[in-house]
Amino acid sequence: MNYPVPINETERLAALHELKIVDTESTPELDAIVRVAAAIFEAPIAYISFVDQDTQWFKAMLGLDESQTHRDFAFCSYAIVTDKTLIIEDTTQDERFCNNPFVTQSPWIRFYAGVPLSLDGETNIGTLCVLDTKPRIATEAQLNQLEQLQNVVVGLIRAHATAIKAKAAERYARQRGKLLSQAERLSGIGAWSLDTNRLETKWSPQVFHIHELTGPQPPSLDEALAFYPEHERARLAQKIDMCIEHGISYEIECDIVTAKGNKRRVRSTGETEHGHDGTKFLIGIIEDITDQYEQEQNLWLAANLDSLTGVANRHCFHREIEKRISTESVENNQLALLMIDLDHFKDINDNLGHLAGDHVLRTVAQRIQQSISHNAFCARLGGDEFAVLLSMAPNTYSAEELATELMEKINLPIKYEQHEIRVGASIGIASHEARTATEDELFLKSDLALYHVKQNGRGNVKSYEPAITDAYEDKWRSILLVRSAITEARLEPYYQPIIDLKTQEIRGVEALARIRNSDGTVSGTADFWYVFCEPQCAREIDEVMLDLALRDIAHWKQSGLDIDFVSVNASSACIQSDAYADRVLAGLAEHGLSPSDLKIEVVESVFLGNESVDVRNVLERLSAAGIRIALDDFGTGFASLSHLRDYPIDCIKIDKSFVCGLGQNSSNTAIVQALVGLGRSLNLEVIAEGIETKGELDFVSALGSQFGQGYLFSRPMDRQSLVRFVTDMTPFKTVEGNLSI
């Protein structure tokens, strides 16, 4: 015997056997509780078990094939010896279970959470358990809900015990002629009888109590039926007639309205009995199951409805999709899934508080419900994400039309206290013929369409099309390429010289991200540009490039190489965080560098949006430390002049799109001249990017640009090639109309 035994094992087994519950069929109520427990933990396995002398027997289960196991291997053998929830976060790390066959082989249990079941608070007869095939840490909310379900299971077991006692009472009463008094004494369940000839009733005191009626005279049959609402009355009357005429016993659950006007739920049974003189009686019991019924209803609500908004939850929505795929395919209809994401909802919570956010969610849910027709189904999937499932006959109201209408309704102002809140929405749509649709496909395609909207400015509607998948796959290929390159140290800087146009000498270099592939080829940013739209990836690239560039410039300076500074690019994901400034300053100190040895380049898009204040703070901190800030691709963004005024900018880099064709395109010439003049008037360094021809060089020099950068001077190169390039070079000179070194 390799399991602990409770000190009251004898009494525990006696209590279990007295219930007569072992080896009985499960019930819908217990099956529902098991499903709810599994859903709460998002786990594949859950069960209600009773632990007998040598065997653990499963009363209700989900995710298991066996109906019982030997007690040696039962996790619940340990749960019943405690009065608290037993939690095993990783069975392989627990010496009690690491060699258990259910851990080392199928079903490969790694996580267990079980609460003991006791009718008296001292004798644990079984458990309610949730299991998973991966290790995990249960949340406090999940454990609280599991303990609430524990109370419900105990209540149902008590009801089972009560029913067993009640049936025994009926048999005993028929034998002894004491049906009514025995039912009262045993369980508080009321007993009644009806003389079918004279239609006279007899009620036990508990029946009077259930109906909140004072005795001693019981009502007539018609008066008794009047306690039931009309639709319930007809059902019960039919059962009574069938029992009287054909001897068919019945059990029925109905609502009643008591003599005091209170609504209650009762369970009533009836069967025929004959007296000594041949008189036919109808006898039965009635039980007030209001509390149990309300618990079951609350369980259903918890399992199917979102508690905040009152619309369906994710679990219920999945079932609805499954149902519609099977039913709508018969009518050859289409299904459309609208995935709705509220734009910038986090700002509402941050600025006005979570109560305001909850009010917005409830209002949006109400507006969606009011806007959809009977053939649509709405749910809140979680957070600020809603979904609408729409069934459509061919050539009828389209999903795009509904989505546009929903956006208009959601965009209307929402009043909260003294505030008027406006929230937008992005909607992705996936449509499919019901007969060929799958739930996974609808979710995937609508998610991809929604992602496309969010990546392209939000506040719009987009239906799925194959090109979205292509773009998504390209993005993930780029992400995998970059992450593997970082892990394997294959992400490295290539340096492009920045030339002083007066002296024709190198002043500095710009570090550009490149990936050295396993076959020896080198990938430029054009091969993985998607990753710069993903904040985490962009941040990782920036951090690696900063560290490598500081390492290289430090080495060059120690070697006496004539390079004044290195310039690195900083994405919006980095430049919004003080942690980036900490990293920059720590890197300079680590390599013994001066702040003037580093220039940080940003593009104008980092100044837009709600994080602009954070960006300003970071740039001002870096500038105050002596690091120069360059505004890259100047002239292609928004509100450039205000950026020069409001942010600590030391240098502007004229975008290569303006430099290209100088001397041939009069508009570009005028723009570059204006930008150079602006920079000089503000005492800013001006760097012309993308110089590729002698003519372009002559023009930017003539227009007053101090520095230049482009393929005319050099393509980006690795650090070894740059050292050779700088060591071997002389100032750039013009020879027969061409540049040479």
Side-chain angles (χ1 to χ4, degrees):
M1 184 171 63
N2 298 318
Y3 52 85
V5 177
I7 58 175
N8 61 343
E9 178 71 354
T10 301
E11 294 80 5
R12 191 189 70 80
L13 291 174
L16 175 62
H17 296 158
E18 185 180 355
L19 284 175
K20 294 182 173 55
I21 198 168
V22 174
D23 288 330
T24 61
E25 294 290 331
S26 183
T27 66
E29 295 87 351
L30 294 178
D31 287 340
I33 289 173
V34 167
R35 289 194 296 271
V36 170
I40 289 171
F41 281 77
E42 297 181 1
I45 302 172
Y47 57 76
I48 295 169
S49 73
F50 295 100
V51 182
D52 207 341
Q53 183 169 359
D54 299 310
T55 305
Q56 173 182 233
W57 178 77
F58 301 124
K59 174 68 172 174
M61 60 184 174
L62 176 69
L64 288 178
D65 296 327
E66 296 84 3
S67 61
Q68 61 185 28
T69 64
H70 197 277
R71 192 168 168 183
D72 278 338
F73 310 128
F75 295 83
C76 299
S77 295
Y78 293 82
I80 63 171
V81 298
T82 179
D83 58 354
K84 300 178 181 178
T85 304
L86 175 63
I87 304 170
I88 308 165
E89 296 177 348
D90 189 346
T91 56
T92 63
Q93 303 302 312
D94 192 313
E95 63 181 8
R96 297 173 297 175
F97 308 105
C98 59
N99 295 319
N100 191 301
F102 292 106
V103 175
T104 60
Q105 57 192 12
S106 180
W108 311 103
I109 300 302
R110 295 292 300 278
F111 168 84
Y112 173 93
V115 289
L117 303 175
S118 173
L119 298 185
D120 60 6
E122 297 178 358
T123 308
N124 296 331
I125 58 174
T127 59
L128 167 63
C129 313
V130 177
L131 302 91
D132 205 343
T133 56
K134 57 180 181 292
R136 59 190 293 175
I137 298 175
T139 66
E140 184 177 355
Q142 289 172 329
L143 296 176
N144 288 339
Q145 290 177 286
L146 186 65
E147 291 173 1
Q148 292 174 12
L149 291 178
Q150 171 195 30
N151 296 332
V152 177
V153 175
V154 169
L156 292 173
I157 295 174
R158 285 199 179 102
H160 168 84
T162 301
I164 294 293
K165 293 177 181 178
K167 289 180 180 179
E170 282 188 61
R171 290 193 299 270
Y172 182 77
R174 281 196 298 270
Q175 295 169 357
R176 304 286 183 175
K178 299 179 180 178
L179 173 81
L180 299 179
S181 60
Q182 290 294 324
E184 290 288 319
R185 194 167 64 248
L186 282 171
S187 62
I189 296 174
W192 57 268
S193 67
L194 171 69
D195 185 326
T196 60
N197 291 333
R198 293 182 292 180
L199 297 182
E200 291 180 352
T201 63
K202 289 184 178 180
W203 283 10
S204 71
Q206 184 64 20
V207 180
F208 282 96
H209 178 75
I210 291 172
H211 289 79
E212 294 187 318
L213 188 67
T214 56
Q217 185 62 38
S220 66
L221 176 60
D222 288 340
E223 290 171 340
L225 290 174
F227 285 100
Y228 294 80
E230 187 173 347
H231 66 285
E232 301 279 41
R233 189 184 313 153
R235 286 201 307 136
L236 180 58
Q238 183 182 27
K239 295 282 187 183
I240 292 174
D241 289 343
M242 292 293 291
C243 189
I244 294 174
E245 296 297 327
H246 304 288
I248 301 174
S249 59
Y250 68 86
E251 179 175 329
I252 189 172
E253 291 185 11
C254 297
D255 292 327
I256 67 169
V257 178
T258 69
K260 295 183 178 180
N262 296 314
K263 184 178 178 181
R264 285 183 176 173
R265 186 80 172 176
V266 297
R267 179 186 291 124
S268 179
T269 66
E271 59 183 85
T272 56
E273 182 83 7
H274 290 84
H276 295 297
D277 58 357
T279 302
K280 182 187 292 186
F281 288 91
L282 203 61
I283 62 172
I285 59 174
I286 186 170
E287 177 185 6
D288 185 347
I289 59 169
T290 305
D291 291 342
Q292 175 187 336
Y293 179 74
E294 289 177 352
Q295 284 183 340
E296 292 170 355
Q297 289 297 106
N298 289 336
L299 282 174
W300 186 92
L301 292 174
N304 292 276
L305 297 187
D306 175 56
S307 59
L308 176 63
T309 63
V311 299
N313 61 17
R314 179 184 287 271
H315 177 70
C316 184
F317 191 71
H318 282 296
R319 288 207 315 273
E320 183 68 18
I321 292 179
E322 293 174 356
K323 184 179 76 173
R324 294 206 182 193
I325 286 175
S326 62
T327 58
E328 298 294 337
S329 59
V330 177
E331 301 179 11
N332 202 29
N333 284 345
Q334 271 201 334
L335 289 178
L337 177 56
L338 283 65
M339 199 70 71
I340 305 168
D341 190 81
L342 302 186
D343 296 335
H344 308 299
F345 176 75
K346 181 177 181 295
D347 295 342
I348 297 173
N349 279 336
D350 291 345
N351 296 328
L352 299 178
H354 287 278
L355 291 179
D358 291 348
H359 177 71
V360 168
L361 292 173
R362 283 191 292 267
T363 303
V364 169
Q366 184 180 28
R367 289 178 179 179
I368 294 174
Q369 284 282 60
Q370 292 172 347
S371 301
I372 62 178
S373 58
H374 68 280
N375 61 339
F377 187 86
C378 169
R380 179 186 176 214
L381 302 185
D384 61 350
E385 191 172 54
F386 293 85
V388 172
L389 185 65
L390 178 64
S391 302
M392 303 176 295
N395 303 317
T396 57
Y397 186 61
S398 73
E400 288 81 1
E401 290 173 326
L402 174 59
T404 301
E405 181 182 337
L406 289 176
M407 279 193 60
E408 292 174 354
K409 295 291 180 63
I410 293 171
N411 288 341
L412 293 174
I414 298 172
K415 293 187 180 299
Y416 176 74
E417 295 181 347
Q418 71 273 27
H419 303 284
E420 188 175 87
I421 303 173
R422 290 185 180 271
V423 62
S426 299
I427 303 179
I429 304 172
S431 300
H432 215 294
E433 291 184 2
R435 59 187 176 84
T436 57
T438 67
E439 180 180 352
D440 289 344
E441 186 175 18
L442 284 171
F443 265 101
L444 175 61
K445 289 181 176 179
S446 59
D447 264 335
L448 288 174
L450 176 61
Y451 178 82
H452 180 85
V453 175
K454 292 163 70 173
Q455 290 293 305
N456 290 274
R458 297 179 175 271
N460 210 340
V461 172
K462 180 66 178 177
S463 290
Y464 172 82
E465 54 191 30
I468 294 177
T469 295
D470 296 340
Y472 184 78
E473 291 175 349
D474 287 344
K475 184 199 77 169
W476 279 106
R477 276 194 293 269
S478 297
I479 290 175
L480 292 175
L481 173 66
V482 167
R483 286 189 170 154
S484 66
I486 292 174
T487 302
E488 299 166 10
R490 293 186 290 105
L491 179 68
E492 59 184 74
Y494 266 46
Y495 296 100
Q496 187 173 39
I498 298 172
I499 307 300
D500 186 322
L501 298 185
K502 287 185 178 180
T503 65
Q504 301 290 300
E505 295 177 342
I506 292 179
R507 281 289 306 279
V509 292
E510 179 181 0
L512 301 167
R514 296 291 185 267
I515 291 176
R516 190 172 297 280
N517 300 308
S518 55
D519 61 1
T521 60
V522 176
S523 297
T525 52
D527 297 318
F528 53 88
W529 69 269
Y530 281 103
V531 299
F532 295 102
C533 300
E534 290 295 321
Q536 181 60 33
C537 277
R539 187 181 300 112
E540 292 173 9
I541 292 174
D542 287 353
E543 292 174 352
V544 171
M545 292 296 293
L546 173 68
D547 294 344
L548 294 177
L550 292 178
R551 176 204 66 185
D552 290 345
I553 187 70
H555 176 72
W556 295 332
K557 285 187 173 293
Q558 291 169 5
S559 303
L561 202 65
D562 191 15
I563 298 177
D564 290 349
F565 66 88
V566 64
S567 184
V568 298
N569 293 278
S571 65
S572 59
C574 270
I575 209 68
Q576 294 168 9
S577 170
D578 264 338
Y580 180 71
D582 294 338
R583 190 182 189 96
V584 169
L585 298 174
L588 290 172
E590 178 185 350
H591 293 286
L593 294 169
S594 166
S596 62
D597 296 329
L598 178 65
K599 182 182 288 184
I600 293 177
E601 297 187 16
V602 297
V603 295
E604 290 177 303
S605 61
V606 305
F607 304 138
L608 306 177
N610 296 327
E611 293 80 14
S612 58
V613 174
D614 298 328
V615 171
R616 185 203 305 272
N617 293 336
V618 173
L619 291 181
E620 287 178 347
R621 182 180 172 196
L622 294 171
S623 180
I627 297 169
R628 287 170 292 171
I629 310 298
L631 186 55
D632 198 9
D633 300 336
F634 185 68
T636 62
F638 301 94
S640 301
L641 297 181
S642 66
H643 298 158
L644 296 179
R645 179 195 64 197
D646 298 336
Y647 293 86
I649 305 299
D650 303 291
C651 170
I652 59 174
K653 300 185 73 173
I654 300 174
D655 187 68
K656 64 182 180 180
S657 63
F658 299 123
V659 175
C660 179
L662 277 177
Q664 301 172 10
N665 186 317
S666 59
S667 296
N668 279 7
T669 302
I671 291 172
V672 172
Q673 185 175 15
L675 295 178
V676 171
L678 177 64
R680 295 180 66 179
S681 66
L682 294 175
N683 198 27
L684 302 175
E685 290 182 0
V686 178
I687 302 174
E689 295 185 289
I691 300 174
E692 297 186 1
T693 68
K694 175 64 166 55
E696 293 169 356
L697 172 62
D698 291 342
F699 261 90
V700 296
S701 298
L703 292 173
S705 178
Q706 300 107 312
F707 303 99
Q709 183 179 352
Y711 286 177
L712 179 63
F713 307 114
S714 171
R715 290 177 176 271
M717 64 194 91
D718 61 27
R719 59 176 179 161
Q720 294 87 354
S721 300
L722 179 68
V723 171
R724 291 193 297 270
F725 181 83
V726 175
T727 303
D728 297 342
M729 71 165 284
T730 58
F732 292 91
K733 297 178 181 178
T734 302
V735 179
E736 295 180 356
N738 295 311
L739 284 180
S740 66
I741 299 174

